[in-house]
Amino acid sequence: MSDYIEKNQDNDGVDRRGFLKCMAWAGTGTLCLVQGGVLKSFALADVLQKNVGNLKGDLSFVQISDSHIGFSKPANPDVTGTLREAIAKVNALPTPPSFVLHTGDLTHLSKPEEFDTLAESLKSLKTERIFYVPGEHDVLNDNGAMFHERFAQGTQGDGWYSFDQKGAHFIGLVNVLNLKAGGLGNLGHEQLEWLEKDVAKLKSSTPIVVFAHIPLWSVYPQWGWGTDDSEQALSYLKRFGSVTVLNGHIHQTMQKIEGNITFHTACSTAFPQPHPGEADSPGPMKVPAEKLRGLLGITDVNFVRGKHTLAIVDSTLQG
Amino acid sequence: MRRRKIQQGRTAGILGTAIFGAAAVLGLVLASGALRPRSAIATQEQPGAITVTIDNFSFAPMQLEIKAGTEVIWINKDDVPHTVVSDDHKLFKSRALDTDEKFSFTFKDPGTYEYFCSVHPKMTGKIIVK
Ligand SMILES: [Cu+2]
């Protein structure tokens, strides 16, 4: 009933088998359970029928991403509608999430009215709090000043921060500012220094969750799907027993495990993008209307303290 | 119900492989130099403004040769916003261009001007002014 994916053995940075399997999951609804460095996947249908045991953890939170409020092209003329559906999906979860992470691209064009619609829509989320990091679409024209003022008050530098929840340490990073010609996502010297200090005081047994918009691993640099200085950031996290990295930007789910670090990207709530290299460009992908909701979705994460176990469930807006 | 969904997933996987195969072949052709539409050098043939089209996350032509005093107009034909920013971040810098929006700059002095999209920095271009 379940597929098992072995740990990435060759150190080329890409778990190709994992890639293929995770791509095939898109649109089906999957739960990924990490135990002892091995990623186990189950169909969501099995989970809902309770065929795979108790997966309830100490902490559950949800990641949503890439809402692109303001986008109105044929790939999805109603992104506010699909965001509303994603919210309904979150509100229907058996365990309400302690908080929600939005991993960027709240808006399509950084317009005030787009931020308004996003903020207004998310008010109906049944959760204690929402944490944000900006996507490149949220910082157009003003280097993120408006985003910062509305969604990142009280944060450090250009909007990075950390917080603790139930023994886990959460770190929100900004990698969409000061991008250099020819380059990828960028964290920058100041943020890296802050990160090093931020985690220095933590015990290696502290579970770490890092979230940022652009993937902090090299998904497909040809399309800008990676971050130039992510290696340095990750080097500060190598000593920790459990690190989970949650990203958006690529509008599809992908996973990789490297040592103690699990990388995961979330679906968009707005429109899908093609698999790496399978189109001329990473632009919005137009799919038949009846297929769209199978390619949009949310990510539910359950955390079991003391077990180094993190269960990541991607579910689509379909059904 | 679950079985049906998994079959759909497999079909998509096979289709994806086929598309990827085609893209790989195209990549080979491009690399060999037999067909290089995006890096073609356009030379100005008549006075007046010259258009650079932003399409599929690239500037076309990627490299443009013009006479001093020529106006270059960039137009975004993509579904996502792009910018046109000189590498020094000073000489010219557009706002985010939504679909069909334009930006123009007149190059007065001879020289080589490299620029990029600050939203998608992998997108780069070059204007050579004679
Ligand atoms: Cu761009």
Side-chain angles (χ1 to χ4, degrees), chain B residues 54 57 59 78 80-83 117-121 123:
Chain B
I54 305 173
F57 287 65
F59 298 104
D78 265 345
V80 294
H82 297 293
T83 65
C117 166
S118 60
V119 187
H120 312 102
M123 297 170 56

Side-chain angles (χ1 to χ4, degrees), chain A residues 273-294:
Chain A
Q273 284 178 195
H275 296 325
E278 289 185 4
D280 289 340
S281 75
M285 184 167 73
K286 191 167 170 8
V287 297
E290 70 275 15
K291 293 247 167 88
L292 178 64
R293 281 161 179 77

